Amino acid sequence: MLIYANPRHAGHSGRQEMYRGRLVPCHEVPARLEHVLAELARRPLGEIREAPPVARALLEAVHAPRYLRFLETAWQQWVALDPANAELDALPSVWPVRGFRADLEPANFAARLGLYSFDAGTPLTEGTWAAAEAGAACAAAAASSLAGSGAPRAAVALTRPPGHHAGADFFGGYCFVNNAAVAAQALREQGARRVAVLDVDYHHGNGTQSLFYERADVLTVSIHGDPRTEYPFYLGHADETGAGAGLGFNLNLPLPAGTDFAQWRAALATALARIAAFAPDALVVALGVDTYEGDPISRFRLASGDYLQLGADIAGAGLPTVFTLEGGYAVAAMGTNVVNVLEGFEAAAR
Ligand SMILES: [Zn+2]
C-alpha cells in the first residue's frame, strides 16, 4: 500500500480542551501520529510519500468557501485581537443554536468562531489550517493513487487532525477538514461511479454523514457508540437513513458502551453486506482506533490483536480502499493498533 504522511501535522498542537467544566490537556496530540510512524518503521507496509498540494476546488466541493476562508485566516484574526493571544488557543464559547441566524457572518471573532464550530473541545492553533490543509492533500493523493492500471489496492492518508466530525461549514470533535469526504469526492471526480464510506471510529461520523446525506452516489456507513450516551450525541441514530435522493444511502449501526469485538464484528458484517449490495467502485475507511479497550475517552472493548482481523474483514470487500486516520487516544497503543489494521488488510488482500 501507499502511505501519504502529513508533514505539517505537528503544527496543530492544542494546549487544552474544555471537558466537564474544566480545561484539560488535549487528547488529540502530535504523538498519536508519531507512534504510527514509529510502528511503520518497525513493520513497513509500503512506501511513505509526501502529497502534492490539494486543489482548492476539491476542498470547496466538500466545504463552504466562507468556512475555508475563516479557517485559513482565523489564527491571524485571533492574534490581531490581542498579541497576548499568541500564547493561547482559540476555543469557541458561544453558538447560534435553534432560532439564531447562521446566514450572517458576525464581525466579532468569538461569534464567528462559534458560527463555524459545535463544541469547546477543539482548539484552533497557529498551525491548524496548515495541518488540516496538508491532511486533505494526503487524502486527495491517496484517492488519486488508486486510479489507473498498476495502482495499489490501498492507500493511506496518515494525518491529523482527524476529519470525520467536520461538516460543510463547521469544525468540532478535534476535526476541521473532512479527509474521508475529500477522499470520497476525489474518487468520484476521477471516475468512480459509486463510493462507500465506512466509518469504524468509536464516535459517529456526523460530518461525513451530513455531507453526503442527500446523495445517492456516496453510501455512508458508521459503526459507533450509541449517541444517546456517546459523543457527538446529536446525530448517529439508526433511524437516520438519508434524505431526498440520498434516502436509503446512510446506515448507522450504534452499539452500546461495553461492546466487545464479537459484537462489533457482527455489526461490521452488516456494514459490509450493505456496502456489497451498493456495489461501489471504491471504499473509504474512516479509521479510528478509539474502539480500543484502553482508550481514555471511549467505551468499547476491542483488543490490539482484534485490529488484524478488522483489517482482514475490510479487505474481504475486495475494493480499492483509501484509509483516513481518525480517532484513537490511547496514545502509546496507537501505532500497534493502526498498523495492525493495515497489516491485516494487506495480508488478506494478497
Ligand atoms: Zn473517535
Side-chain angles (χ1 to χ4, degrees), residues 209-348:
Q209 170 174 312
S210 67
L211 284 163
F212 297 113
Y213 206 59
E214 296 187 17
R215 284 172 59 169
D217 58 329
V218 178
L219 171 72
T220 44
V221 181
S222 182
I223 306 169
H224 51 266
D226 190 327
R228 286 178 298 178
T229 59
E230 307 307 301
Y231 186 91
F233 308 117
Y234 309 112
L235 209 64
H237 299 274
D239 65 353
E240 297 156 13
T241 57
L247 187 62
F249 297 97
N250 184 74
L251 175 63
N252 284 331
L253 298 166
L255 297 170
T259 289
D260 65 13
F261 185 57
Q263 297 165 288
W264 193 94
R265 196 178 176 209
L268 178 62
T270 302
L272 292 171
R274 177 68 189 93
I275 289 166
F278 181 64
D281 296 318
L283 175 67
V284 176
V285 178
L287 176 59
V289 293
D290 40 8
T291 50
Y292 175 55
E293 58 190 352
D295 196 274
I297 61 171
S298 310
R299 299 195 285 168
F300 285 170
R301 294 191 287 133
L302 276 64
S304 286
D306 295 331
Y307 291 103
L308 290 159
Q309 185 66 57
L310 188 160
D313 285 355
I314 291 171
L319 293 165
T321 301
V322 172
F323 291 91
T324 61
L325 189 65
E326 305 293 345
Y329 306 100
V331 175
M334 186 84 189
T336 301
N337 294 345
V338 170
V339 177
N340 277 0
V341 172
L342 302 177
E343 187 177 293
F345 181 98
E346 279 287 84

Side-chain angles (χ1 to χ4, degrees), residues 164-165 201-203 290 298 326-329:
H164 73 147
H165 292 303
D201 187 278
Y202 179 78
H203 305 96
D290 40 8
S298 310
E326 305 293 345
Y329 306 100

